[in-house]
Amino acid sequence: MGLVTEMEYRDRRERRRFPGRGTAWLVPLVLLIGIALLDLSTGEDFRTISWVILVPSISAAVCGVGTTVAFTLLSLATYLAVDNVWPHEYRAGLPDFLLLAFGGILAVFASAVRVRRERQGLHMRDIAETTRRTVLRPLPPNWAGLEHAGVYLAADMDARVGGDFYDIQPGPNGTRVLLGDVQGKGLGAVETAAALLGTFREAAYHESDLVTVADRLEVRMCRHRGHTAALGRYDGDRFATALLLGFPKDDRNAVEVINFGHEPPLAVGPRGVRPLPGGERLPIGFGDLTGETAPDDGPGPPACRERLDEDETLLMVTDGVTEARDRADVFYPLLDDVARAVAAAPGRATPRRLVRLVREGVLRHTRGRLDDDTTVFALRRLPEPQSEPRPVSTTGRPSPS
């Protein structure tokens, strides 16, 4: 399950409804046939052939321009054919024919306007999708030695990007992971998330100490706010809560955690669920309150190294999960829900199943009404590959490969 599965599914579903595709043309066709048959089967005192004006209108709403033109011409031909069956004194005549022709022209014009707007909408969504993939790059399966899964639920069904961000960055000093949530919404939150992710991707690769990566994120937030202020936009109170994780190469049963005012990650395994403490910091952007933005003051608080067994999965969420409420204003019980599910089936501790569990739990708890963008992300180390023993010759020495 990728982080964009639901968005891409929605896009594919909407594109199938795009003009000229599918079986939408059957609706006006059935209507046209029905009106013609009804007119032929009723008496001369109840003529219905003039109702055929509805056919181009329906076609304009569900079909493309070419199909609407075709149904307009077909409606005119049907009108003439059916109306001429009746004796002259019972025919609808030229006035209704002209009304049908005028209605057909309007229907074609309306169809052209609708199609153009739909194409513009799809183009804007393509731009938003490109922006999202630039900010939140897709992660390959089993990237950097981690099995991972995630899902993004947008409070706005038409949204493509927001303040939630995440990434996995491998490097010579181990694998680093960042997940967070920028305060606020709109393009300002997207710009801040992009700035933090860009800094993380460089610092996580080059810096040997996770604390230095954290300090670089704080400095980047300060510089970003200065840049937006210089542009005349007030962004002085922008901050981000985040989790910064490090998976050291020298210890496969450990993880380093720095917590920027975020919900702690949950270590989920066959033995239960436990929150992982971390090197506690203020949210990114509040470093000026503690002097963490000043390089001369030295590094910030150290990271906390915690035990993480290979059969345990780290589950991380944004506040869209922890602050999800039902109609009685009760918060979603994340810890209890996960603990109960894992106790009943320890096999649910895989990243994919945990993400699906939390996603379904949040949607069930809120009945599908989300007040905030929501990200659920889970990961665990892949088993270390076992080296195959070299074959041994009859002399007791390893055979050449």
Side-chain angles (χ1 to χ4, degrees):
M1 180 192 302
L3 274 160
V4 296
T5 300
E6 297 192 3
M7 297 182 195
E8 292 174 347
Y9 169 76
R10 200 160 58 240
D11 282 343
R12 288 194 297 266
R13 185 178 59 189
E14 291 175 357
R15 289 178 186 273
R16 283 198 297 267
R17 297 203 307 261
F18 195 73
R21 299 183 182 181
T23 57
W25 55 271
L26 287 175
V27 176
L29 179 62
V30 171
L31 180 63
L32 177 63
I33 296 174
I35 292 174
L37 293 177
L38 180 63
D39 186 81
L40 292 174
S41 62
T42 56
E44 60 274 3
D45 295 331
F46 187 72
R47 296 294 311 282
T48 62
I49 192 58
S50 297
W51 297 1
V52 80
I53 194 174
L54 297 174
V55 173
S57 303
I58 298 298
S59 177
V62 298
C63 300
V65 178
T67 306
T68 303
V69 171
F71 272 112
T72 298
L73 297 177
L74 185 60
S75 298
L76 292 171
T78 303
Y79 177 90
L80 291 175
V82 174
D83 197 42
N84 287 330
V85 171
W86 294 90
H88 181 75
E89 61 271 19
Y90 298 119
R91 293 176 186 175
L94 183 61
D96 286 355
F97 179 82
L98 294 178
L99 178 64
L100 174 60
F102 182 69
I105 294 173
L106 292 180
V108 171
F109 176 76
S111 176
V113 173
R114 178 184 61 83
V115 168
R116 184 177 63 181
R117 289 182 177 178
E118 288 188 359
R119 285 175 176 166
Q120 289 175 345
L122 289 176
H123 180 64
M124 294 304 296
R125 291 196 176 190
D126 288 340
I127 294 175
E129 181 68 11
T130 301
T131 303
R132 184 196 60 76
R133 288 185 175 272
T134 301
V135 176
L136 298 179
R137 60 181 181 180
L139 296 175
N142 301 331
W143 178 236
L146 297 176
E147 178 187 357
H148 61 84
V151 67
Y152 172 77
L153 301 175
D156 181 0
M157 292 300 291
D158 292 327
R160 286 298 184 271
V161 289
D164 291 2
F165 59 92
Y166 69 94
D167 201 8
I168 299 176
Q169 179 61 57
N173 303 297
T175 298
R176 274 73 183 268
V177 178
L178 179 67
L179 177 137
D181 182 11
V182 176
Q183 173 266 338
K185 299 182 182 297
L187 290 178
V190 176
E191 290 175 354
T192 304
L196 292 175
L197 283 172
T199 297
F200 166 75
R201 289 162 184 164
E202 291 301 313
Y205 182 86
H206 292 288
E207 301 294 346
S208 59
D209 189 0
L210 192 67
V211 174
T212 306
V213 179
D215 293 340
R216 293 273 298 275
L217 291 173
E218 185 63 51
V219 172
R220 185 67 182 93
M221 176 66 85
C222 182
R223 293 173 52 208
H224 176 71
R225 291 193 305 200
H227 178 261
T228 55
L231 292 174
R233 301 203 311 263
Y234 178 72
D235 210 17
D237 60 350
R238 185 82 67 184
F239 65 90
T241 64
L243 290 171
L244 179 61
L245 310 179
F247 292 85
K249 288 186 174 182
D250 58 355
D251 190 351
R252 290 185 55 83
N253 292 319
V255 60
E256 296 177 309
V257 183
I258 295 180
N259 191 328
F260 293 96
H262 200 83
E263 289 290 330
L266 300 179
V268 185
R271 291 167 295 283
V273 183
R274 56 187 178 92
L276 286 186
E280 297 294 334
R281 289 194 177 201
L282 294 176
I284 303 174
F286 290 161
D288 53 349
L289 302 178
T290 59
E292 292 172 10
T293 58
D296 296 339
D297 292 341
C304 183
R305 179 171 285 211
E306 293 292 327
R307 177 183 58 83
L308 183 68
D309 297 333
E310 289 194 0
D311 59 356
E312 287 185 310
T313 298
L314 276 182
L315 175 64
M316 297 173 286
V317 300
T318 57
D319 57 5
V321 173
T322 56
E323 297 180 4
R325 306 187 189 192
D326 60 9
R327 291 186 174 180
D329 214 28
V330 176
F331 290 106
Y332 171 63
L334 172 65
L335 188 60
D336 295 340
D337 205 12
V338 173
R340 182 169 54 253
V342 173
R348 295 184 69 91
T350 64
R352 184 181 296 271
R353 291 182 175 179
L354 281 178
V355 166
R356 184 182 296 115
L357 168 70
V358 177
R359 171 193 174 277
E360 294 175 354
V362 169
L363 293 177
R364 181 174 60 251
H365 187 77
T366 61
R367 296 189 178 183
R369 294 186 299 271
L370 300 175
D371 296 327
D372 196 4
D373 295 343
T374 300
T375 298
V376 186
F377 194 53
L379 52 86
R380 68 177 176 181
R381 283 187 185 268
L382 292 169
E384 190 172 15
Q386 301 292 330
S387 58
E388 297 182 359
R390 297 180 63 183
V392 179
S393 65
T394 57
T395 60
R397 296 179 179 179
S399 300
S401 56

